């Protein structure tokens, strides 16, 4: 794994949280993007080499809606950049990690993404992401 690419934070209201994080970080988000298949709206803030991704649910059965229902707003996942997501999936499976989707999916911010089940990673939802043009 190359670096922490971003930290995903589940929020109830993206507009309110964009304003909150803009005053926290001293800069505005640089993009917003909807991922319809996941039922989320996202925004991204650049912080040095890493990013903060804010996620708001756009439908009731979205994973973000369920997360907030159970745990409230807060840190939802940590995303690591990888050079080759396919070889990382195979490597992590062979180490016994539970990969949630067999094939990477197109996520926000021009990435192929896959998630590891938190029960195999000390309760932390882990995202692997690979830049699509890389
Ligand atoms: Zn993410």
């Amino acid at each position: 794994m190359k670096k922490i690419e971003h930290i995903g934070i589940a929020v109830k209201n993206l507009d309110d949280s964009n304003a909150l994080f803009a005053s926290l970080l001293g800069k505005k988000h640089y993009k917003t993007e909807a991922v319809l298949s996941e039922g989320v709206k996202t925004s991204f803030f650049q912080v040095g080499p890493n990013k903060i991704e804010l996620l708001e649910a756009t439908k009731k059965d979205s994973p973000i809606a369920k997360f907030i229902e159970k745990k409230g707003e807060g840190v939802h996942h940590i995303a690591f950049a990888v050079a080759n997501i396919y070889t990382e999936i195979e490597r992590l499976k062979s180490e016994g990690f539970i990969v949630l989707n067999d094939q990477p999916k197109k996520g926000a911010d021009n990435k192929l993404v896959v998630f590891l089940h938190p029960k195999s990673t000390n309760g932390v939802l882990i995202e692997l992401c690979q830049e699509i043009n890389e």
Side-chain angles (χ1 to χ4, degrees):
M1 305 211 188
K2 297 200 293 187
K3 64 169 184 182
I4 293 179
E5 214 281 335
H6 64 266
I7 295 174
I9 298 173
V11 303
K12 286 181 181 166
N13 182 299
L14 198 59
D15 291 335
D16 291 352
S17 295
N18 278 338
L20 177 74
F21 276 79
S23 58
L24 174 71
L25 300 171
K27 61 175 89 177
K28 294 188 75 172
H29 61 284
Y30 65 89
K31 77 150 114 179
T32 57
E33 192 178 340
V35 184
L36 296 176
S37 59
E38 298 291 313
V40 293
K41 269 193 310 191
T42 67
S43 66
F44 286 89
F45 292 81
Q46 189 77 46
V47 191
N50 313 108
K51 296 167 189 161
I52 298 290
E53 174 186 33
L54 303 181
L55 304 119
E56 181 200 311
T58 56
K59 51 181 187 185
K60 275 208 182 86
D61 60 346
S62 132
I64 295 301
K66 289 179 195 158
F67 178 89
I68 287 178
E69 210 172 282
K70 267 208 246 167
K71 301 189 175 175
E73 294 178 297
V75 173
H76 177 259
H77 64 271
I78 298 177
F80 293 97
V82 298
N84 185 321
I85 199 165
Y86 297 95
T87 55
E88 277 302 309
I89 289 171
E90 289 316 308
R91 185 182 72 81
L92 292 167
K93 275 186 182 167
S94 74
E95 297 282 350
F97 293 98
I98 302 164
V99 180
L100 281 176
N101 35 318
D102 266 344
Q103 289 298 317
K105 297 194 268 193
K106 177 124 176 27
D109 205 28
N110 201 38
K111 302 271 196 302
L112 282 175
V113 303
V114 77
F115 288 91
L116 305 183
H117 197 291
K119 80 180 175 201
S120 65
T121 50
N122 281 176
V124 181
L125 180 62
I126 302 288
E127 175 184 343
L128 307 181
C129 58
Q130 179 188 346
E131 199 85 42
I132 283 175
N133 311 323
E134 210 168 6

